[in-house]
Amino acid sequence: MRFSNPILPGYHPDPSICRVGEDYYLVTSTFEWFPGVPVFHSRDLVHWRQIGHALDRASQLPVDGIRPSGGIYAPTLRHHDGVFYLVTTLVDGLMESGNLLVTATDPAGPWSEPYWLSDTEGFDPSLFFDDDGRAWAHGTRPARPQRYEGHTEVWLRELDLDGMKLVGEEHVLWEGAVKGAIWAEGPHIYKVDGTYYLLASEGGTEHDHALSVARADTVTGPYTGNPRNPVLTHRNLGRDHPIVGTGHGDLVQTPGGEWWMVLLAMRPYGGYHYNLGRETFLTPVRWEDGWPVPGPVELTAEGPDLPVHRWPAAPACDNFDAVRLAPDWNHLRTPREPYWTLTERPGHLRLRGRPESLTEWTNPSLVARRQRHAHFAVHAAMEFTPSGGERAGLALVQNDDFHILLVMTTGGLVVIRREGGADRTLAQADVPGGRLWLGVEAHEQEYQMSYAISPGEWRPLGDPVDGRVLSTSLAGGFIGAYIGMYLSGEGHPSDNVADFDWFEYLPLPGV
């Protein structure tokens, strides 16, 4: 079976994987988006379905007011003795911050309330369960002493599973393979044929990203680096390579003995821009001279020697006829009030007006999903009559200072491009309030807005919008682009509503 990379297209960074019998489970980072940490399930490592989120309650995920690209970093998923363990970091939270651990007996949930590992610091925590029954937590923190910016070290301590706290002596294992390495992070420990292996990234999660490996006879070290480190990087292949930034990997072994790695990488297009963010890729791993050799990472490759197991395809159109939102819909930061409903007007997603705006570090009335393709089309049917400074419609979001809006206002239907915190209105049409059809068609960095006031009578609105504002290479941070439905009073109270009858997302062939 041949397969296509990425296996999870769109913003799905920092993948972690574990196998239970013939089932594989995978999680990724979510930063300031809610719910946190999507959980995916596969039987063949290629076809995945989302079965839930590990952090789906406000009590688990207080990311209120958090900065863009703060929040949930690099989760690790492991299974031991019938229990799933997920450990991650909440970075720069205003209510809680630090490393936390949640557990579940079913990966679809429910997951426990967090156990905060208050006596740890840093980020990218991981777990290793040894065959003697002991559990070990490890992670990344600034090196002691820190000799230069980005100088980090990997620490290790035993985890008491009864008390959910760290105990015993601390051990420092690793500072990176290359002299002067920066951001040695994302560590994972494995035991293979009696030897302990430490896999870690370095170089920063951009173009210079790399994976290195070290090994030891005991879990506490000392660890010796592979003389051929880094074992995987694309930084030497140039910025014009179709896959860049490879790193942050996690290993898994199939029942038949094959080894595979999930990892993140980016696919630039329209220049060195990757609006889709950091995506999840799959690559084979072989062993030579007692070391893992991952790669190559390719857009198409021969897949695992496993029975093909496809899941039913999700509908392209959401008609909002369920009692709760589908799992691919997200909110920006923690929602503390029900600003959306699927029941007040059955068959519609209703957004309630509030002062909160996309331009603030807040939780606006926004329901959005990931952009997963360079070429795609979105269409939606909306009913909305604005007053005052209200606006409602479609939003393409990178962060508070970089986004694109196609929204109905009292001045008509407008296209707004926000770059570096400055808004620019690019197009306007005199359209009456009421029922309106909205559309976006993207071909790489050209995003064409359109609308219809009668079914099927689509009209373009303005010229194609430059989509580079949706790329982290321009906007900064760690997030891929989102697109969704938005309503705001833009700083003023609003009791208005916007009703969305349906929302359709379609991948398109490249041209």
Side-chain angles (χ1 to χ4, degrees):
M1 172 189 64
R2 294 192 65 81
F3 74 97
S4 298
N5 265 319
I7 54 171
L8 291 179
Y11 152 63
H12 293 101
D14 310 322
S16 179
I17 191 170
C18 72
R19 177 175 69 87
V20 182
E22 296 182 350
D23 295 282
Y24 302 85
Y25 300 97
L26 186 151
V27 295
T28 63
S29 299
T30 43
F31 297 92
E32 69 263 38
W33 288 88
F34 185 99
V37 189
V39 182
F40 298 91
H41 174 218
S42 177
R43 302 296 301 272
D44 61 11
L45 290 173
V46 170
H47 302 97
W48 295 86
R49 61 169 180 168
Q50 187 175 348
I51 58 174
H53 290 85
L55 306 176
D56 61 1
R57 304 188 297 277
S59 59
Q60 297 171 302
L61 187 55
V63 288
D64 313 64
I66 205 162
R67 65 171 175 84
S69 291
I72 293 297
Y73 280 38
T76 294
L77 179 65
R78 295 293 183 258
H79 181 266
H80 172 71
D81 198 21
V83 178
F84 290 88
Y85 295 82
L86 185 139
V87 62
T88 186
T89 312
L90 200 168
V91 175
D92 289 342
L94 303 184
M95 301 170 67
E96 295 275 6
S97 282
N99 295 317
L100 64 101
L101 188 154
V102 292
T103 64
T105 55
D106 182 345
W111 288 78
S112 71
E113 289 298 303
Y115 300 93
W116 292 92
L117 304 178
S118 57
D119 52 350
T120 65
E121 62 174 303
F123 54 97
D124 290 9
S126 185
L127 296 173
F128 169 67
F129 295 93
D130 210 340
D131 47 23
D132 62 0
R134 300 172 76 182
W136 298 87
H138 44 295
T140 302
R141 70 183 181 202
R144 303 175 180 174
Q146 189 175 37
R147 297 192 298 273
Y148 50 85
E149 177 68 22
H151 181 203
T152 57
E153 63 188 17
V154 175
W155 57 266
L156 172 82
R157 247 183 115 185
E158 189 170 0
L159 174 65
D160 174 9
L161 295 178
D162 293 327
M164 289 296 183
K165 61 182 180 181
L166 301 187
V167 296
E169 182 182 357
E170 181 182 85
H171 306 268
V172 175
L173 306 184
W174 189 246
E175 294 185 0
V178 177
K179 184 177 181 180
I182 62 170
W183 302 117
E185 60 189 4
H188 296 303
I189 291 175
Y190 314 89
K191 190 175 186 179
V192 181
D193 295 333
T195 299
Y196 296 88
Y197 290 86
L198 172 65
L199 179 69
S201 296
E202 60 186 70
T205 184
E206 295 179 345
H207 189 79
D208 292 333
H209 214 189
L211 277 161
S212 295
V213 66
R215 67 188 181 192
D217 293 329
T218 63
V219 69
T220 58
Y223 282 82
T224 302
N226 186 337
R228 299 188 181 105
N229 277 328
V231 294
L232 180 64
T233 186
H234 277 198
R235 62 192 179 200
N236 59 307
L237 301 179
R239 292 181 181 270
D240 59 349
H241 195 273
I243 303 172
V244 300
T246 52
H248 204 107
D250 197 5
L251 298 174
V252 67
Q253 187 180 25
T254 70
E258 289 185 338
W259 286 86
W260 291 83
M261 175 188 286
V262 293
L263 70 158
L264 70 79
M266 297 88 78
R267 294 180 293 163
Y269 58 87
Y272 195 78
H273 302 285
Y274 34 91
N275 303 28
L276 305 181
R278 299 172 301 156
E279 306 173 281
T280 292
F281 287 69
L282 178 70
T283 194
V285 178
R286 62 190 189 278
W287 291 79
E288 290 183 357
D289 303 324
W291 294 103
V293 183
V297 184
E298 300 174 305
L299 291 176
T300 60
E302 191 64 29
D305 185 17
L306 294 168
V308 175
H309 190 102
R310 294 181 175 88
W311 305 105
C317 186
D318 193 333
N319 292 296
F320 303 121
D321 50 8
V323 296
R324 61 176 56 88
L325 288 170
D328 52 353
W329 291 112
N330 294 165
H331 310 277
L332 189 54
R333 304 183 181 87
T334 307
R336 296 288 177 177
E337 57 182 318
Y339 63 78
W340 73 99
T341 173
L342 294 168
T343 58
E344 275 191 9
R345 186 179 178 187
H348 293 75
L349 170 66
R350 168 166 287 180
L351 297 183
R352 298 190 177 102
R354 299 153 67 232
E356 287 81 0
S357 168
L358 269 174
T359 62
E360 305 166 322
W361 295 2
T362 186
N363 168 239
S365 294
L366 171 73
V367 175
R369 52 161 294 166
R370 293 162 176 82
Q371 178 187 336
R372 293 180 176 170
H373 305 85
H375 302 267
F376 74 93
V378 158
H379 298 95
M382 177 183 75
E383 293 183 30
F384 174 66
T385 302
S387 65
E390 296 169 346
R391 55 177 60 167
L394 298 180
L396 295 115
V397 183
Q398 172 55 233
N399 59 41
D400 58 300
D401 282 339
F402 293 84
H403 53 251
I404 300 168
L405 301 178
L406 173 61
V407 288
M408 186 66 188
T409 71
T410 53
L413 184 65
V414 297
V415 177
I416 300 171
R417 183 179 187 268
R418 184 174 177 86
E419 179 177 352
D423 286 344
R424 182 183 174 194
T425 300
L426 303 181
Q428 184 269 341
D430 292 325
V431 175
R435 189 169 178 86
L436 183 66
W437 289 261
L438 303 174
V440 179
E441 183 172 327
H443 294 286
E444 295 195 341
Q445 299 301 344
E446 294 188 350
Y447 290 69
Q448 178 64 60
M449 308 295 148
S450 61
Y451 71 98
I453 55 178
S454 297
E457 298 181 2
W458 290 96
R459 309 173 190 177
L461 182 56
D463 296 326
V465 180
D466 183 351
R468 290 177 294 175
V469 291
L470 304 176
S471 172
T472 54
S473 57
L474 180 62
F478 303 127
I479 308 297
Y482 270 77
I483 183 167
M485 297 153 287
Y486 175 58
L487 167 62
S488 176
E490 297 298 325
H492 301 284
S494 170
D495 58 5
N496 205 349
V497 298
D499 288 339
F500 292 85
D501 190 358
W502 49 264
F503 181 104
E504 180 182 64
Y505 178 101
L506 287 171
L508 299 175
V511 294

